[in-house]
Amino acid sequence: MKVLHLNTQFAAMGGVEAVLRFQHESDHLHGMDSRFVSMWEPAHPGFPHARFLGYERSTSIREARRRMAAAWPGFHPDISLHHTVWGQPYLLDLDPAPRRVLMLHSDVPGLENLAARRLASMHGAIGVSDVLVQRARTAAPHWPNDRFLRIDYPVHPPAWLQPGALPRPATELVLGFAGRLESAQKRVERFIDLSRRLSQAQLPWRMEFVGDGSLRPQLEAALPDRQRHRFHGRLGGDDYWRVVASWDAIVFTSDFEGTPISLIEAITAGVVPFHPAVGCGGDAYARHIDPDLVYPAADIEGLADRIGAFAKWSPGRREQARSRARDLASRHDPRRYLQRIAGFLGHIAQAPSPHAAPVTRRWFFPMDRLRFGDFERIAQWTARLRRR
């Protein structure tokens, strides 16, 4: 089965990108001959089955379409898997696959309306949490049940990892964050307020950051105490797992999420998650482990209070939470992920399908000369007009 994967990024740091790279390496083991398209990245060496289109805000629709059409001219997929809700209005008619599946990785703002529009031209949907599958069901209520798949992300812990076996400081609570150091979605600037509130609580703690991003300089300047705040930068392999496994808890301050892969990796190591109540797979996992690990969205004071209470948990309660975390993590076997993806895509490619809206070319002169930045400005103007 020939599969075309489409996403905004592929080589960048992030959970979805890590899954795509895993599929780049392993799809062939499960009967998938796959190719990948990354829209908003420049070329990266070392990925022979990936094409990088290098879109920027200054890229015109005409040029974007030319690059997409030239990405895999000799590849004729049986099915395409769209890992993003971005791009279909500009590019969908260039997708050569006769069947298309939309995979929902994150509960982005406005997803209800976006999903309804995107699924009109799709033949199946995959969600990485119950919430996201329900979003798809609501957007395509006429579809039969076999057009939806709830999937668990793959996680690849090292063979040496034995959760709970690594020594932990007895007098210091170690909190961690792993991911993009950005304001958009992740809202990592909230760690500045969290640090201030934890300092007022006078409990022994340390905060560690794994990852990189545009807000890293701001965070490092605002959190100068290197005994309390450690910035590891990007880590991979054993270095990554050793740092994560040394934490007591991983902390999320996001505005929205799906089921964060960094959360799944952390609970695989027996680390418990603090997650905002944003109605996604992440807070569902945290709630299952212990209800007190979920805090009101954007409420950093409430988060600090819960961390302070966590520091006083009894050894029995903490071990029970870590045991539940490990049980949840056992669902994320990489082989099972690929088997289920391959089985679902094969089913959608071959089975009678619900009607999908015909895809026609929409972009002609002079509209195709507009740039992505132009559309961004038009959207901003429209939003301001609506608020008046």
Side-chain angles (χ1 to χ4, degrees):
M1 179 174 56
K2 294 183 178 180
V3 182
L4 179 65
H5 296 264
L6 300 139
N7 194 36
T8 53
Q9 298 187 93
F10 174 90
M13 180 179 61
V16 177
E17 292 78 12
V19 170
L20 289 172
R21 293 192 294 274
F22 166 60
Q23 294 205 237
H24 182 277
E25 296 173 2
S26 306
D27 271 6
H28 69 281
L29 300 175
H30 293 266
M32 293 180 283
D33 179 14
S34 293
R35 301 294 185 274
F36 298 79
V37 172
S38 171
M39 303 176 201
W40 285 83
E41 288 178 310
H44 286 263
F47 301 107
H49 290 167
R51 293 290 183 268
F52 300 87
L53 305 188
Y55 291 173
E56 297 177 335
R57 293 179 72 253
S58 59
T59 305
S60 70
I61 301 303
R62 182 189 188 199
E63 176 61 18
R65 289 174 57 81
R66 186 196 67 77
R67 296 181 195 177
M68 177 64 78
W72 292 108
F75 185 69
H76 305 289
D78 301 300
I79 193 165
S80 61
L81 183 53
H82 292 247
H83 295 267
T84 175
V85 294
W86 186 90
Q88 287 88 358
Y90 310 108
L91 307 165
L92 190 60
D93 63 297
L94 300 174
D95 180 350
R99 298 288 175 90
R100 298 174 293 277
V101 170
L102 179 64
M103 187 164 181
L104 299 175
H105 292 272
S106 187
D107 196 9
V108 299
L111 182 61
E112 299 91 336
N113 294 329
L114 272 175
R117 296 198 297 270
R118 301 297 184 259
L119 289 177
S121 300
M122 300 286 163
H123 303 86
I126 303 173
V128 301
S129 71
D130 295 332
V131 170
L132 290 171
V133 172
Q134 186 55 48
R135 294 267 193 254
R137 289 184 184 278
T138 301
H142 58 289
W143 283 8
N145 288 335
D146 65 350
R147 301 297 160 178
F148 303 93
L149 175 67
R150 161 70 164 85
I151 195 77
D152 293 311
Y153 275 137
V155 172
H156 312 268
W160 54 260
L161 182 69
Q162 297 181 21
L166 295 176
R168 296 173 183 268
T171 59
E172 186 177 44
L173 187 66
V174 184
L175 309 170
F177 171 85
R180 292 178 287 109
L181 298 180
E182 301 288 352
S183 181
Q185 179 188 357
K186 299 302 182 181
R187 298 302 301 272
V188 295
E189 69 274 13
R190 290 172 175 161
F191 280 100
I192 299 171
D193 187 23
L194 177 61
S195 175
R196 180 178 61 82
R197 293 181 184 277
L198 290 177
S199 297
Q200 293 173 348
Q202 297 182 345
L203 59 95
W205 59 275
R206 185 173 79 246
M207 192 178 293
E208 298 191 354
F209 298 88
V210 172
D212 212 340
S214 64
L215 256 64
R216 180 174 175 178
Q218 177 183 334
L219 286 176
E220 290 184 332
L223 305 172
D225 183 352
R226 292 296 164 260
Q227 296 300 313
R228 280 274 176 89
H229 312 98
R230 298 183 184 176
F231 293 84
H232 295 280
R234 295 186 65 164
L235 296 176
D238 287 354
D239 291 338
Y240 171 83
W241 283 99
R242 286 194 179 94
V243 169
V244 171
S246 71
W247 296 344
D248 293 292
I250 186 169
V251 180
F252 295 86
T253 56
S254 317
D255 280 338
F256 59 91
E257 285 287 355
T259 304
I261 293 180
S262 59
L263 181 151
I264 303 166
E265 291 168 338
I267 67 175
T268 300
V271 178
V272 302
F274 282 94
H275 202 285
V278 293
C280 70
D283 51 346
Y285 270 40
R287 189 173 289 106
H288 176 83
I289 294 168
D290 192 289
D292 287 346
L293 296 172
V294 180
Y295 66 95
D299 181 5
I300 302 304
E301 181 179 4
L303 171 59
D305 290 343
R306 281 163 174 76
I307 291 173
F310 172 70
K312 300 175 183 177
W313 281 13
S314 68
R317 183 178 179 183
R318 189 174 295 195
E319 182 50 41
Q320 185 179 51
R322 295 175 67 192
S323 176
R324 289 174 180 164
R326 292 189 293 267
D327 288 344
L328 279 176
S330 66
R331 295 164 36 176
H332 296 270
D333 182 275
R335 293 164 298 179
R336 185 169 183 265
Y337 172 84
L338 287 177
Q339 289 167 357
R340 298 189 70 209
I341 288 286
F344 183 73
L345 294 182
H347 167 70
I348 296 296
Q350 298 173 12
S353 176
H355 172 73
V359 179
T360 58
R361 181 179 176 185
R362 297 176 50 189
W363 298 97
F364 298 93
F365 179 83
M367 292 294 292
D368 66 347
R369 272 33 173 201
L370 291 174
R371 301 163 298 177
F372 288 125
D374 298 327
F375 284 96
E376 183 180 311
R377 285 188 289 271
I378 291 170
Q380 292 170 350
W381 293 335
T382 302
R384 283 198 294 267
L385 289 172
R386 287 175 178 170
R387 288 195 294 266
R388 290 180 180 176

